[in-house]
Structure formats: C-alpha cells, structure tokens
C-alpha cells in the first residue's frame, strides 16, 4: 500500500483499481462528444481493424510467405517444383495454401491458430537442418494426412471432383481406381500420397500404416514392401 492509503481515515472507501476505473470511464456517457461522433469513430475503427486483420490473413496465405522459411523452401518446396502441380501444360498451379489452408473462414482461422505451433518449432529450430527435417518427416506427413482425411480432402476437391470426372477419357488403371473410390466413399488422400512431395524415408518399413495407393516411384516401393510383408 502507498503512504496515502496507510494514512487514510478508517472507513474510507478503497479506490478502485486502474482496470476498473478505465472500464468505468469507457462505459460513462461522454458530456463533450456527440453520440454520432462516437458511433462514426467506432465504425471507422472497426472497419480499419477488420481490414487490417484480413490483410494480415491474406499476407500469410501466399506461397511467398510459406517459403520465407528455409525449412520449407529448401525441402518440400524444392520437391514440389518438380511436380505437375507446379508446372503443367495448362499453366494452372496449386500453390502451398491451395492445398494446406482451408478456403472457408472458420476452418481457415482454426488452421492459422494451429500454425502458431509451427512458428514455435521454427524458432526452436526443431527442423532447422535437412537431417532434423528428415527425422521428423514421417510425423509431419502423418499429421497432414490425418488432417486431410478428417476434412475429406477438401482442398483437393476444390479443384478435383469424382462426380464430374469423365472416366472414359482416363487411363484404364486411373479410371478403375477412381470408380472404386467413388463407389466405396474413399477420400483423395487415401491414395494420392507422394504427389506433390515424396513419401518420407522409411516408407518400406511403414508401408502397412500408410494406407491407399501412393503414386510414383515411392508408391511402387510401398506396393513392393506390401508384397514382401504379405509373403511373410
């Protein structure tokens, strides 16, 4: 307590704290500022705050922002640049946020909050070197596969739809798999692992846990590992 408080006569009401006094001031009607002025200032302030918030959201929702960390630029982004999602005959690209950030506002906010954990690990240098990144790669991949499975591969289906695919114009193997997926209610990520990024090291040993039918050379390795496992 202060000296003034110690010397206050007995029974003197205790002075409210700073937070309570500030809140009381905010709630008290102004005797000098017109109500219309207060409403106008509040409205403009709200617009600026909301606009600034959305601007920040969009700034962190770009490929440039995603690869501003070397962990992404030197690892998964380098792999992504060799795939059809980066360069193709039609020139239509799927960038980092197209695949990893939901479009609808509610799930986008949830994903941004979740991403704060990734910032923590960036500053803690959890995957700072290629060796550290590879050591965590299986865990990182599984987390993302689980997220996409939970959302029924929503980010994939923003561009691709089994309902509107013309199976007659696809290769027989692809048409067969897509028809099976539609009939059995499968989701894209169950089969389409190893498309934009290679499968984690150790896919041979963990083939039984990966599920689906991964594509590319890594996919062939997984299928081969399954065959070996079945023969044991």
């Amino acid at each position: 307590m202060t000296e003034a408080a110690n010397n206050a006569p007995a029974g003197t009401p205790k002075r409210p704290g700073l937070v309570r006094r500030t809140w009381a001031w905010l709630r008290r009607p102004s005797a000098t500022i017109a109500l219309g002025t207060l409403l106008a200032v509040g409205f403009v302030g709200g617009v600026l705050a909301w606009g600034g918030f959305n601007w920040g959201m969009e700034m962190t929702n770009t490929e440039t922002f995603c690869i501003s960390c070397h962990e992404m630029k030197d690892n998964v982004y380098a792999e992504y640049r060799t795939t059809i999602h980066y360069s193709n005959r039609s020139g239509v690209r799927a960038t980092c946020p197209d695949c990893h950030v939901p479009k609808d506002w509610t799930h986008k906010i949830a994903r941004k909050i979740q991403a704060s954990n990734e910032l923590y690990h960036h500053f803690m240098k959890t995957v700072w070197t290629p060796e550290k990144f590879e050591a965590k790669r299986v865990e990182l991949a599984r987390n993302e596969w689980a997220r996409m499975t939970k959302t029924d591969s929503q980010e994939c289906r923003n561009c691709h739809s089994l309902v509107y695919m013309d199976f007659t114009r696809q290769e027989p193997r692809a048409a067969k798999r897509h028809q099976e997926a539609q009939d059995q209610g499968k989701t894209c990520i169950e089969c389409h692992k190893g498309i934009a990024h290679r499968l984690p090291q150790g896919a041979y040993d963990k083939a039984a846990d990966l599920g689906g039918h991964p594509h590319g050379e890594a996919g062939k390795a997984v299928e081969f590992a399954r065959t070996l496992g079945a023969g044991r």
Side-chain angles (χ1 to χ4, degrees), residues 23-215:
W23 179 244
W25 178 80
L26 290 172
R27 295 181 60 188
R28 187 184 308 121
S30 175
T32 58
I33 304 176
L35 177 60
T37 302
L38 289 173
L39 290 174
V41 171
F43 176 77
V44 172
V47 170
L48 291 176
W50 182 252
F53 175 76
N54 277 281
W55 176 80
M57 287 279 289
E58 292 306 314
M59 286 294 292
T60 61
N61 208 37
T62 63
E63 184 176 85
T64 301
F65 177 82
C66 293
I67 62 173
S68 60
C69 298
H70 79 275
E71 298 99 318
M72 296 295 102
K73 185 177 182 180
D74 297 341
N75 294 291
V76 289
Y77 180 70
E79 298 169 3
Y80 155 74
R81 292 188 63 184
T82 66
T83 70
I84 197 170
H85 282 93
Y86 180 84
S87 178
N88 51 70
R89 64 181 181 277
S90 62
V92 178
R93 292 181 61 215
T95 62
C96 306
D98 289 327
C99 295
H100 296 285
V101 181
K103 298 291 185 184
D104 63 286
W105 195 84
T106 303
H107 291 94
K108 180 186 292 186
I109 292 295
R111 181 68 184 91
K112 293 296 183 181
I113 295 173
Q114 183 186 30
S116 61
N117 181 58
E118 297 165 12
L119 286 175
Y120 167 78
H121 285 287
H122 166 71
F123 290 115
M124 293 299 293
K125 299 185 177 182
T126 305
V127 290
W128 191 253
T129 65
E131 293 76 19
K132 288 184 175 181
F133 185 87
E134 286 299 325
K136 295 281 288 184
R137 188 168 187 134
V138 170
E139 179 184 346
L140 296 172
R142 286 171 186 265
N143 289 342
E144 188 62 10
W145 294 338
R147 183 191 69 81
M148 295 187 74
T149 300
K150 186 176 180 179
T151 63
D152 192 17
S153 305
Q154 179 59 58
E155 286 71 53
C156 299
R157 293 186 293 105
N158 286 332
C159 294
H160 307 281
S161 172
L162 285 172
V163 176
Y164 297 106
M165 284 184 181
D166 185 351
F167 298 149
T168 63
R169 303 180 65 180
Q170 297 180 353
E171 294 181 0
R173 178 174 175 270
K176 180 176 181 292
R177 289 283 175 82
H178 286 145
Q179 187 64 66
E180 290 175 353
Q182 187 175 36
D183 295 340
Q184 299 172 18
K186 290 186 176 181
T187 190
C188 309
I189 197 61
E190 288 186 57
C191 297
H192 291 274
K193 299 179 179 75
I195 293 291
H197 311 293
R198 67 175 177 80
L199 289 175
Q201 185 176 1
Y204 287 94
D205 301 328
K206 301 180 182 296
D209 300 329
L210 291 174
H213 303 278
H215 283 248

